[in-house]
Every structure is written in structure tokens, then in C-alpha cells.
Amino acid sequence: MDVLRSVLLENRKKRILLLDDEPAVVRSLARVISQFHGDWELEAVTDPEEAWLRLQRDQFDVLVTDVRMPKVTGLMLLERMQMDPRTASIPVVVVTGWGDHETKLRALELGAMDLLEKPVEPRHLVSRLQQVLRWKEGQDILAALNVRLRRILDRHLRELASGRMGTILRLLIVLQQRNPDLALHGMRVAVYSKVIAQLLKLEDTQCREIFWAGMLHDVGKIALPDALLVRAGMFSPGETILWQKHCQYGEQILRGRAPWSGMLPTGEDSDSGTSSIVKTAAQVAISHHERWDGTGFPYGLEGGAIPLPGRIVAIADAIDHATRPVAWAHPSSAIVPPTAEGADRAFDPRVLEVFRRYEELFRKLTDQLRRIPLNDEKWLVNPDARLLDEWEGAAGPHSDESSSPCVSE
């Protein structure tokens, strides 16, 4: 215990706050306690409101209080302390001349460690305070250990998530090498997705997650055969079924799901420790081809059952497919242009309205992004950092409203 105390807790005196509306009583209590424990730091107040302020502002190890006081009783103060996280962990010893059974029971119900009746025997009071302070010190050590363990766990989870993200980005490099245009498609979708999220006034963290989800939405295509990955034109029915599986493949890659996942050395799910960015990306990978009317794939989700990030990336994907300079290999019925007659059935009406209201903005943004050559490694290195320039440059007359930072609704 001494080792833990020295490592985890500050080397300071124990602080005790004494409260009684009679000045002579608090002076007497302070004198009695000091005779037995001169290394305790004692502070005395006679006003319950002042005591309440001190308890919130300063660090005390125990409160010794009377019950019957004007305006604010000791029991009322106990109740306040239990309701405030800043004071709920401070132990309380009640010393009162009003020691009927109901008062004792109520004080214990409100969290008092003990109730002593006046006149209190000095050794009894000091002995009880020693026990309470030992208990408080044990609680402080546990709290400090929990903080340290949480920091260690958070660090390991961040490292695990970072490793997962690094692996996934390497998969994107493989996808780029197999088909460079497909990689740039993902980056353009990422830009459109983040702009839409901004226009919907989502929180900044959500905007960033949706950007990376747009970047990774087609990562499952890495599992498709070359014949489907690089060929333009229509698919046969069998090829269409295989092509549609890129949604499930993408989710499996992002979540780390495989038949041997249960054989991990830790015995944990391989999804544990995955960052919120990767989790959102997995959600988008599986849902970006669902349709608002329920006719999409792979699960035929309808309306609000489709995750919002998936709804956003779905229209961003359609924006890019509708403006691509070359034909791309996908079934014609899978991608509905946002300007087409059936767009109302395919997309979230709220997201579609954002596109229609700022269609000119997206056209300018598309023109800028189309000028990025396939071998522009600078843009590929850190697309999110360059997003702001592309977005502000395309915003034009909409900049006052559209380029505002993400805020919560």
C-alpha cells in the first residue's frame, strides 16, 4: 500500500473540513483532533453554503458536519454532495446532538460513513476519522490505478486501430496498382461525401469519418477477379451477382472478419480496438448500394434503416459515376444518377435535396477533381489535407454558407 501510495497519490497532508454553525464547536473539534493528529490539515467553517463552495473548489479527504443548522441542514448538504460528481466521493462523518433513529437512518441513506452523537469522545472521533481516511486513500488509489490502466488500454487500442488502418490503406495501394482510375474514384467520392456531410451540418468528427468511409467504400473490389475489376461494359447475370459481393468483401476486410477470427491469440473479436473511422467505413462498405425504396443490395434495406453515412456515400458515388469520362464496369441498374428521374426512389430525400440545392457547387468541384492526373502522388499522399483547398476553391458564391465548419444540428 505504501508503494502504491507513493507512486499514485500526491505526497500531501490529509485535509479535513469541519462544519458546525456554532464557532465554539468547530474550534473544539479542531483542538481535539489536532492533539492526536497534528499532521492532518484542518479547516473549519460555520456556514453550510461556504462549506458547499469549498467542497466543490478544493480537495478534501473527509467532511465532519453537524445536522441541525439554519437554512441548509447537514442532511441537505449530504444530498447535494451525492448529486455532484465533484463531491460524491468525499466521505462524510456526521457529529450531532440530534441523534434520533430517523436522522441516523437518513444520514446513512445519503452516504454518511458514520454518525456520532455529541458530546463525542475525542479518541472515538479520531479513531473513526483514521478508518475513514484509510478507506478514502484506498478509493483514491483505485481511481488512480483505473486512470492509468485506461490510458494504457487506450494507447494499445489506438495502436491496434492505427495498425488496422495502415493495413487497409496498403490494400488501397494494391487496388490503385490494379486500376488507378478506381483509386481516384474513391478519392473523389471521399471529397463529395465530406462536402455533403458539411452541408448537412454534421459534427466535425462525423465529417472526417465519412470522408475516409468514402475513400474506402469500394475496398472490397480488391477481392474481385481481374475480369470484373478492369473491364468496362455490361455484366452477365452471374457476373452481376459476383460484382455485388464487393460490399460484403469490403465489410469483411474493414472489420477483419474471417473464418479463423476466433483463433486470435487474445481470444477476442478481431473487430475490437478498431477505430471509429474504420467502423464507419465498414458500415458504408456494406450499405452504399442500398436504396431508399428498399430495392438496393445486399440486404434491401429501406429508408432510415440504411445508415446515414451509407446514404451520403451512395449519392457521392452516384455523382462521380455520372460524370466519369470513361464507361465503368458495373450493372447499369446499380448506379442511379442523382439527376435522373428515379433519384427520388434511390436516395435519402434530405441528402438529395442538398445535392440539388448545390448542384452548381458540385459541378465546379467535379471540374477541379477531374484535372487531377492519375499519377499525382502529392494528392494521393494526403487527400484529406488538400480537401480544404479543393472545397473552398469550388464553393465560389456559396462560400458564406457552405464552407462553414461542421456543427452539430
Side-chain angles (χ1 to χ4, degrees):
M1 181 67 76
D2 290 338
V3 174
L4 287 174
R5 184 190 303 112
S6 62
V7 171
L8 298 174
L9 303 182
E10 300 174 8
N11 186 20
R12 63 174 181 82
K13 290 184 177 182
K14 303 301 183 184
R15 299 187 66 198
I16 301 173
L17 182 62
L18 306 174
L19 170 61
D20 196 297
D21 62 317
E22 297 182 25
V25 173
V26 291
R27 287 196 299 269
S28 175
L29 286 173
R31 186 170 56 253
V32 166
I33 294 172
S34 297
Q35 288 175 353
F36 289 90
H37 260 282
D39 58 338
W40 290 348
E41 186 176 319
L42 306 176
E43 298 190 31
V45 293
T46 58
D47 180 8
E49 291 292 357
E50 181 184 353
W52 172 237
L53 293 174
R54 296 287 301 278
L55 288 166
Q56 295 175 88
R57 184 187 64 210
D58 302 328
Q59 185 177 1
F60 288 99
D61 296 291
V62 63
L63 168 67
V64 179
T65 181
D66 189 15
V67 171
R68 183 177 288 180
M69 292 178 289
K71 295 183 180 179
V72 178
T73 68
L75 296 181
M76 293 168 64
L77 183 59
L78 266 169
E79 191 167 7
R80 283 187 191 177
M81 292 175 66
Q82 291 300 308
M83 295 176 64
D84 192 318
R86 293 171 295 181
T87 57
S89 63
I90 300 174
V92 178
V93 175
V94 175
V95 179
T96 181
W98 196 27
D100 62 278
H101 177 73
E102 288 300 322
T103 300
K104 291 181 179 180
L105 183 60
R106 182 58 179 157
L108 294 173
E109 288 174 347
L110 291 173
M113 299 289 290
D114 204 351
L115 191 145
L116 307 177
E117 294 185 24
K118 296 178 182 177
V120 63
E121 202 280 320
R123 287 186 177 275
H124 186 191
L125 173 60
V126 172
S127 175
R128 194 67 186 104
L129 287 176
Q130 286 176 322
Q131 293 175 350
V132 171
L133 288 170
R134 280 196 293 268
W135 176 87
K136 177 65 163 55
E137 186 175 82
Q139 297 301 305
D140 291 343
I141 289 174
L142 286 175
L145 278 173
N146 282 333
V147 170
R148 289 203 169 199
L149 290 173
R150 172 51 61 184
R151 288 174 180 169
I152 293 171
L153 178 60
D154 287 345
R155 185 177 72 249
H156 286 317
L157 290 178
R158 285 194 302 270
E159 291 172 354
L160 179 60
S162 177
R164 172 74 61 78
M165 192 69 179
T167 300
I168 291 167
L169 291 179
R170 284 169 175 79
L171 291 176
L172 279 179
I173 293 173
V174 174
L175 190 63
Q176 176 193 353
Q177 291 173 342
R178 293 184 68 191
N179 192 312
D181 185 63
L182 185 58
L184 285 177
H185 161 67
M187 293 178 183
R188 290 191 296 266
V189 170
V191 173
Y192 299 141
S193 298
K194 187 170 183 179
V195 171
I196 292 170
Q198 287 178 313
L199 293 173
L200 288 170
K201 300 188 183 301
L202 301 187
E203 294 180 358
D204 186 64
T205 53
Q206 291 178 287
C207 294
R208 179 168 175 77
E209 288 174 5
I210 288 171
F211 171 85
W212 281 104
M215 181 79 76
L216 296 162
H217 76 284
D218 271 344
V219 70
K221 288 182 178 178
I222 198 173
L224 297 180
D226 289 338
L228 300 187
L229 188 64
V230 302
R231 195 194 75 202
M234 295 295 295
F235 291 165
S236 69
E239 289 174 329
T240 298
I241 293 174
L242 181 58
W243 176 85
Q244 289 179 349
K245 287 185 178 295
H246 78 271
C247 297
Q248 290 100 320
Y249 294 154
E251 186 194 35
Q252 290 169 6
I253 290 170
L254 289 159
R255 292 197 184 277
R257 290 177 177 167
W260 54 86
S261 297
M263 298 169 60
L264 290 171
T266 60
E268 297 178 356
D269 189 331
S270 60
D271 194 34
S272 63
T274 302
S275 72
S276 58
I277 289 177
V278 178
K279 289 179 180 177
T280 300
Q283 191 180 57
V284 166
I286 196 67
S287 65
H288 70 280
H289 280 298
E290 300 287 358
R291 290 191 182 181
W292 188 253
D293 63 1
T295 61
F297 63 87
Y299 299 125
L301 301 180
E302 182 178 356
I306 306 170
L308 178 60
R311 287 178 259 157
I312 290 173
V313 174
I315 196 167
D317 189 29
I319 292 170
D320 194 58
H321 276 294
T323 57
R324 299 184 82 164
V326 295
W328 191 245
H330 64 77
S332 59
S333 60
I335 306 295
V336 178
T339 55
E341 184 177 346
D344 292 314
R345 297 188 299 274
F347 304 114
D348 180 340
R350 181 171 165 233
V351 179
L352 184 60
E353 174 59 27
V354 165
F355 167 77
R356 287 173 172 170
R357 183 178 179 185
Y358 296 99
E359 187 172 350
E360 179 63 17
L361 167 66
F362 285 101
R363 186 191 66 76
K364 292 180 180 179
L365 192 56
T366 296
D367 290 342
Q368 286 196 7
L369 297 178
R370 289 294 177 198
R371 290 197 294 271
I372 299 173
L374 294 179
N375 61 350
D376 187 348
E377 295 182 357
K378 292 181 179 179
W379 206 92
L380 297 176
V381 168
N382 195 355
D384 198 20
R386 296 193 58 179
L387 168 64
L388 184 60
D389 294 335
E390 307 293 349
W391 156 243
E392 290 181 342
H398 303 291
S399 59
D400 290 342
E401 178 177 357
S402 304
S403 61
S404 58
C406 303
V407 294
S408 58
E409 293 182 290

